[in-house]
């Protein structure tokens, strides 16, 4: 049995690829949980710029712009820099170092058969897959391990990665010495958001998102343009909420009202216009405080840099400490803490 490593406060970590500003899909997936739980745990929020490179290595110039944008999204969504450590993945090189160590005992097959990797790679053959992309679940293991996080709020698509993380951590602890605690996923209670076009995934690359920073007018426009049940031509035609993106948003953001909406739609007693209006009203109410916080932080742009620097410094300290233990456990602590002078 591996010994459980005690903490005064358990540590929570999750992150986002730095590929573009955040949208309601991110919020429903894990961001709302991070905000909700940030005072209960010692919270780290990671800007996954290295992971973004696995798919965007040919346009690295976009990453620094998105770093600021996403940090603002976090702060607007309610991530409190006094409660949470926001940091930049590439500035903690120990994460990459740890990835090399974990990669020694992960098989290519387990990565290739990972269902999320499969879906994201469009079932491309091994001959067309990049090493870094195939291996990003290993890098994600290091994101979690370097700070010994045990609580990982994620969307359901990340579960295979977390399973691998647990496996690799267990294996490391067995092979060398118990250094890492086993993490648990906290899965969002909100359903995965479909896109405004009805596509199964809300995603920037599909152009079907509702961004967290949208104005009232943009929100109204996005909702007005969103597809609904195509079988409903007249407003009293019976609807099929199970295939309607608008209904899925009711379920995610107005769960108390969702049963009523479902029934009214199925009976044809509420039309799409009215149904969309109800959704707009509540979503707008949810986004309003985010707009206020965004405006406040936008006025204090120096603060954003300070928040990132302070957070990254803390992550670097944790990483140095953990990697010291890792090297010692693996017998790689030559000389005096690897100092040659
Ligand atoms: N892959 C995650 C996503 O796309 C982002 C991420 C990177 C992450 N490292 C992580 C999530 C570590 C949880 C823990 O959403």
């Amino acid at each position: 049995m591996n010994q459980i490593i005690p903490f005064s406060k358990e540590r929570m970590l999750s992150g986002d690829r730095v590929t573009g500003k955040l949208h309601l899909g991110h919020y429903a997936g894990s961001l709302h949980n991070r905000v909700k739980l940030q005072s209960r745990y010692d919270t780290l929020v990671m800007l996954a710029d290295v992971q973004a490179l696995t798919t965007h290595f040919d346009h690295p110039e976009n990453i620094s712009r998105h770093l600021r944008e996403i940090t603002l999204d976090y702060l607007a969504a309610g991530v409190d820099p006094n409660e949470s450590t926001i940091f930049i993945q590439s500035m903690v090189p120990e994460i990459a170092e740890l990835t090399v160590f974990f990669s020694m005992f992960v098989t290519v097959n387990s990565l290739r058969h990972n269902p999320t990797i499969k879906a994201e790679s469009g079932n491309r053959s091994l001959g067309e897959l990049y090493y870094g992309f195939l291996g990003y679940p290993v890098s994600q293991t290091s994101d979690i391990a370097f700070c010994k996080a045990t609580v990982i709020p994620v969307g359901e698509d990340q579960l295979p990665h977390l399973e691998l993380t647990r496996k690799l951590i267990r294996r490391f602890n067995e092979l060398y010495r118990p250094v890492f605690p086993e993490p648990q996923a906290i899965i969002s209670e909100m359903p995965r958001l479909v896109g405004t076009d009805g596509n199964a995934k809300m995603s920037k690359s599909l152009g079907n998102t509702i961004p967290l920073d949208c104005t009232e007018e943009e929100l109204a426009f996005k909702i007005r343009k969103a597809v609904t049940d195509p079988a409903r031509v007249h407003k009293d035609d019976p609807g099929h909420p199970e295939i309607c993106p608008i209904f899925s948003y009711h379920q995610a953001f107005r769960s108390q009202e969702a049963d009523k909406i479902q029934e009214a739609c199925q009976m044809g007693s509420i039309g799409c216009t009215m149904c969309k209006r109800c959704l707009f009203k509540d979503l707008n109410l949810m986004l309003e405080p985010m707009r206020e916080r965004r405006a406040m932080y936008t006025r204090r742009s120096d603060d954003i840099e300070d928040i990132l620097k302070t957070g990254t410094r803390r992550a670097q300290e944790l990483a140095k400490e953990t990697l010291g233990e890792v090297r010692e456990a693996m017998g790689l602590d030559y000389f005096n803490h690897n100092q040659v002078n």
Side-chain angles (χ1 to χ4, degrees), residues 91-294:
M91 292 186 71
V92 184
E94 286 83 356
I95 295 176
E97 190 181 346
L98 201 47
T99 302
V100 174
F101 295 151
F102 282 126
S103 74
M104 303 305 163
F105 47 87
V106 65
T107 65
V108 173
N109 249 357
S110 70
L111 294 169
R112 198 162 60 132
H113 295 305
N114 175 309
T116 299
I117 290 281
K118 261 191 182 165
E120 287 174 347
S121 63
N123 291 323
R124 268 189 286 271
S125 71
L126 203 51
E128 297 164 293
L129 273 183
Y130 289 106
Y131 172 61
F133 176 80
L134 186 67
Y136 92 73
V138 185
S139 159
Q140 200 157 310
T141 295
S142 307
D143 300 337
I144 292 169
F146 93 87
C147 62
K148 300 188 181 179
T150 51
V151 179
I152 319 294
V154 282
E156 217 163 313
D157 60 321
Q158 299 294 303
L159 278 183
H161 301 342
L162 213 82
E163 235 2 88
L164 179 80
T165 296
R166 291 161 56 83
K167 236 196 242 163
L168 292 180
I169 279 180
R170 248 179 263 147
R171 188 81 184 109
F172 182 100
N173 289 348
E174 255 164 38
L175 279 168
Y176 309 113
R177 194 184 294 168
V179 171
F180 302 113
E182 274 184 43
Q184 302 282 350
I186 296 199
I187 297 293
S188 174
E189 71 278 15
M190 293 191 198
R192 182 189 180 127
L193 286 205
V194 299
T196 52
D197 59 354
N199 192 297
K201 190 174 179 188
M202 182 177 276
S203 153
K204 196 194 74 166
S205 57
L206 299 171
N208 62 11
T209 67
I210 300 181
L212 283 182
D213 71 349
C214 68
T215 61
E216 185 168 341
E217 292 70 32
E218 282 162 351
L219 179 66
F221 181 76
K222 291 265 184 190
I223 292 180
R224 202 163 54 236
K225 290 282 171 193
V227 303
T228 53
D229 174 5
R232 288 193 89 181
V233 181
H234 306 291
K235 85 175 199 249
D236 44 6
D237 289 341
H240 302 85
E242 68 283 0
I243 59 157
C244 178
I246 294 294
F247 179 64
S248 77
Y249 303 156
H250 281 287
Q251 285 178 303
F253 301 109
R254 308 177 74 235
S255 56
Q256 266 102 319
E257 308 297 322
D259 284 352
K260 245 192 286 171
I261 291 279
Q262 181 172 23
E263 206 185 304
C265 173
Q266 283 167 337
M267 289 175 22
S269 62
I270 183 174
C272 292
T273 307
M274 177 55 81
C275 174
K276 284 182 166 184
R277 205 172 290 156
C278 295
L279 176 73
F280 166 76
K281 207 168 115 261
D282 280 5
L283 267 185
N284 198 46
L285 273 179
M286 184 183 95
L287 293 180
E288 196 47 42
M290 297 194 197
R291 294 184 190 121
E292 281 166 23
R293 278 192 294 263
R294 183 181 300 274

